[in-house]
Amino acid sequence: MVRVAGSKKITPVPGQVLICLAGKYRGRRVVCLKDLGKGVFLITGPFKVNGVPLRRVNRRYVICTTTHIDISSVVADLTVDKTVFARPKRTGPTPVVRHARKAKGKEAEGEKKSKKKAVKVGEARKALQEKVDGQLIAILKAADPLLPKYLGSFFTLKMNDRPHLMKFYLFCVARRVLPPKKKKKKKKLC
């Protein structure tokens, strides 16, 4: 068995297209906007193209591609801090108290069971998302008209695909550039 030399670890840079590997948005192609430090990056879909909002992602959960986009104008006025991604504090009993109630059997039949409520996104975050999306989509369309379609497509693996040996080029996936097929000549029968 021949041993293949390992490849260097590539750190995403702002403007690079990444592929998410885990979570709700796995298989989606996203754009890296900013390095937040400690191996965490700010990414977006953009939301209008593939439904991926502004998110923080660890380096271990993305694959870097060779596609780069010049987003210096978007990143220049982008200020993100922890308060943008902070969730509101919980109200009501803690999980320990709920567990104790169930164990004692004091939950009344008429009492409504609490359902998980969807986390509401703050207005500041929505405004930031719209601002970034507007600028980014204009840049994407100016760079290449097929780039939004490329970002909107899924990345999937099939049997015997080896992602550690793959090279992720834009022109192979987005434009479907294939060599022309040769026409077979028919043999003449006597």
Side-chain angles (χ1 to χ4, degrees):
M1 185 169 174
V2 179
R3 191 169 196 186
V4 179
S7 61
K8 266 184 159 178
K9 188 177 189 181
I10 301 170
T11 304
V13 294
Q16 190 168 12
V17 175
L18 310 173
I19 299 171
C20 293
L21 296 177
K24 184 178 179 180
Y25 302 105
R26 71 175 164 265
R28 293 286 190 181
R29 292 179 173 93
V30 295
V31 179
C32 177
L33 293 178
K34 196 173 186 179
D35 183 6
L36 299 176
K38 297 184 181 179
V40 179
F41 298 92
L42 180 68
I43 62 165
T44 187
F47 187 76
K48 291 182 180 178
V49 173
N50 61 8
V52 181
L54 282 168
R55 292 179 63 89
R56 294 174 294 181
V57 172
N58 193 304
R59 165 67 186 93
R60 293 178 182 222
Y61 299 108
V62 293
I63 296 176
C64 299
T65 66
T66 57
T67 308
H68 291 271
I69 304 161
D70 182 27
I71 60 164
S72 56
S73 61
V74 176
V75 177
D77 59 341
L78 184 66
T79 54
V80 178
D81 54 349
K82 291 181 181 180
T83 58
V84 174
F85 296 103
R87 288 189 175 188
K89 290 191 174 184
R90 268 181 94 159
T91 58
T94 62
V96 175
V97 173
R98 271 190 264 129
H99 181 67
R101 283 184 192 165
K102 286 182 181 180
K104 290 181 181 179
K106 290 188 176 180
E107 190 171 337
E109 292 178 16
E111 188 179 329
K112 292 182 180 178
K113 293 183 180 180
S114 61
K115 293 181 180 179
K116 287 186 179 180
K117 293 182 181 178
V119 178
K120 302 241 177 174
V121 179
E123 294 299 321
R125 193 163 166 186
K126 284 182 185 177
L128 182 63
Q129 181 73 54
E130 287 178 12
K131 177 182 169 187
V132 170
D133 275 4
Q135 294 174 356
L136 198 55
I137 290 173
I139 291 171
L140 292 175
K141 287 182 179 176
D144 189 1
L146 291 176
L147 206 50
K149 288 185 180 181
Y150 172 67
L151 290 173
S153 64
F154 279 101
F155 171 76
T156 57
L157 290 174
K158 296 184 177 99
M159 199 82 149
N160 297 324
D161 282 347
R162 297 179 180 158
H164 59 286
L165 296 177
M166 289 181 178
K167 296 283 183 186
F168 298 97
Y169 294 109
L170 170 65
F171 61 86
C172 293
V173 179
R175 295 186 185 168
R176 302 278 183 202
V177 177
L178 299 172
K181 292 183 179 179
K182 294 180 182 178
K183 294 182 179 179
K184 293 182 181 178
K185 294 182 180 179
K186 294 183 179 180
K187 293 182 181 179
K188 292 182 179 178
L189 298 173
C190 296

